[in-house]
Amino acid sequence: MRAIIYIGHGSRNDQRNQAFINKITPIINNVSFPIQKIAFLEAKPSLMNKIDQCILEGATEIIVVPIFLLPGIHVNQDIPAIINEKKTQYPSLTVYYAPPFNDADDLIEDITERIATIPKVIGEDKAIIVISHGSRNTKALVVFERLITKLQKHLHGNSVFPAYLKSQEPSLEQCLTDLENGSYKDIIVVPHFFNTTMFPKKIETIVDEANFHHVALAPAIEFNEKIEQVIKKQIALASKVQ
């Protein structure tokens, strides 16, 4: 029997964890699998706990699907370490591990649609800042830069700039200041975060404190049809853990 475990980052805020569960549940309901569970990396229920539950319910194969945007340390190290520990505990268990969202085409479409909620956004005098968390992992930075490049092409040459909340430069504050001093009439800030996390609110505060009248903030990532398609493709791309 096959099972899927969807794993999010998790928060010390139980309301945010519950919001994640509430948002992803309709997507899960559209995926046909005998056993499906939701787990968190840094909250309860844990991935270890949900793997145990799947085994007790008769699962012999498990697909672990990280609901993470980029391949940072959590995706590349922390989650695989848990998977390997459980494979040692259950030698007959087959585990498949899906990639994160990366620069999936449906994610590019989702970003474009969120930008389009800002009136009159497309034009040569518009600058778009996509802001991510930042990571110590080089691969995450490379993938994010690749997403920026794909998005710029998708937006027919509009200027798209990366910014980071921590660990990397430029910061959002610096990027806003630099663009404010440039030739752009309007600046659109796009959070590269799920709306169930604390970061969209933090970004809103930074934008408000910048006090630039021509800066607009796009919505954070919703668990909508585009994101459902990304998750379904993640499942299809899952690789067997040796």
Side-chain angles (χ1 to χ4, degrees):
M1 188 179 295
R2 306 184 77 189
I4 299 179
I5 302 175
Y6 306 86
I7 178 166
H9 185 280
S11 168
R12 287 175 291 181
N13 186 314
D14 290 338
Q15 289 184 332
R16 290 198 183 98
N17 295 333
Q18 189 58 53
F20 176 87
I21 293 171
N22 293 344
K23 295 279 189 177
I24 201 171
T25 295
I27 291 176
I28 291 174
N29 291 339
N30 288 333
V31 177
S32 180
F33 253 74
I35 302 172
Q36 298 195 86
K37 306 290 184 184
I38 300 169
F40 295 104
L41 185 61
E42 297 189 1
K44 294 182 179 179
S46 68
L47 177 57
M48 283 189 172
N49 174 264
K50 289 302 176 182
I51 290 175
D52 290 339
Q53 284 190 15
C54 289
I55 297 294
L56 288 173
E57 293 178 28
T60 56
E61 294 185 356
I62 297 175
I63 302 175
V64 177
V65 181
I67 308 302
F68 285 74
L69 296 171
L70 294 167
I73 291 174
H74 289 323
V75 169
N76 287 342
Q77 297 180 20
D78 299 337
I79 298 173
I82 295 170
I83 292 172
N84 288 328
E85 181 176 340
K86 300 310 283 186
K87 277 175 60 61
T88 300
Q89 182 179 353
Y90 303 108
S92 62
L93 177 65
T94 300
V95 180
Y96 296 86
Y97 189 36
F101 283 31
N102 292 333
D103 57 339
D105 290 343
D106 290 295
L107 181 58
I108 299 294
E109 291 282 354
D110 177 75
I111 297 171
T112 303
E113 290 181 2
R114 287 187 286 132
I115 291 171
T117 64
I118 308 299
K120 299 180 181 179
V121 64
I122 303 301
E124 293 181 357
D125 55 351
K126 305 294 189 295
I128 297 162
I129 302 172
V130 182
I131 177 163
S132 180
H133 185 273
S135 175
R136 292 170 291 165
N137 186 282
T138 303
K139 187 174 181 180
L141 300 178
V142 169
V143 172
F144 185 57
E145 291 284 353
R146 194 167 70 212
L147 179 141
I148 295 293
T149 299
K150 286 181 68 172
L151 180 62
Q152 181 152 321
K153 290 179 179 178
H154 195 73
L155 293 174
H156 308 293
N158 279 263
S159 297
V160 183
F161 301 90
Y164 305 91
L165 284 181
K166 62 183 299 184
S167 302
Q168 269 75 42
E169 297 291 339
S171 66
L172 177 56
E173 294 93 332
Q174 185 61 54
C175 198
L176 284 170
T177 300
D178 291 346
L179 294 176
E180 170 73 6
N181 294 329
S183 60
Y184 298 101
K185 293 182 179 179
D186 295 292
I187 302 170
I188 311 300
V189 177
V190 186
H192 196 55
F193 295 95
F194 296 108
N195 65 352
T196 54
T197 69
M198 59 181 276
F199 299 111
K201 186 64 178 178
K202 184 174 182 178
I203 293 167
E204 182 180 354
T205 299
I206 293 171
V207 170
D208 288 344
E209 290 178 352
N211 199 29
F212 297 148
H213 296 297
H214 60 293
V215 176
L217 180 62
I221 301 171
E222 293 272 2
F223 285 85
N224 55 26
E225 291 182 5
K226 289 284 190 302
I227 300 309
E228 179 177 328
Q229 290 304 311
V230 176
I231 292 173
K232 287 180 176 178
K233 289 173 184 177
Q234 279 182 282
I235 295 169
L237 291 170
S239 299
K240 186 176 180 180
V241 178
Q242 301 299 327

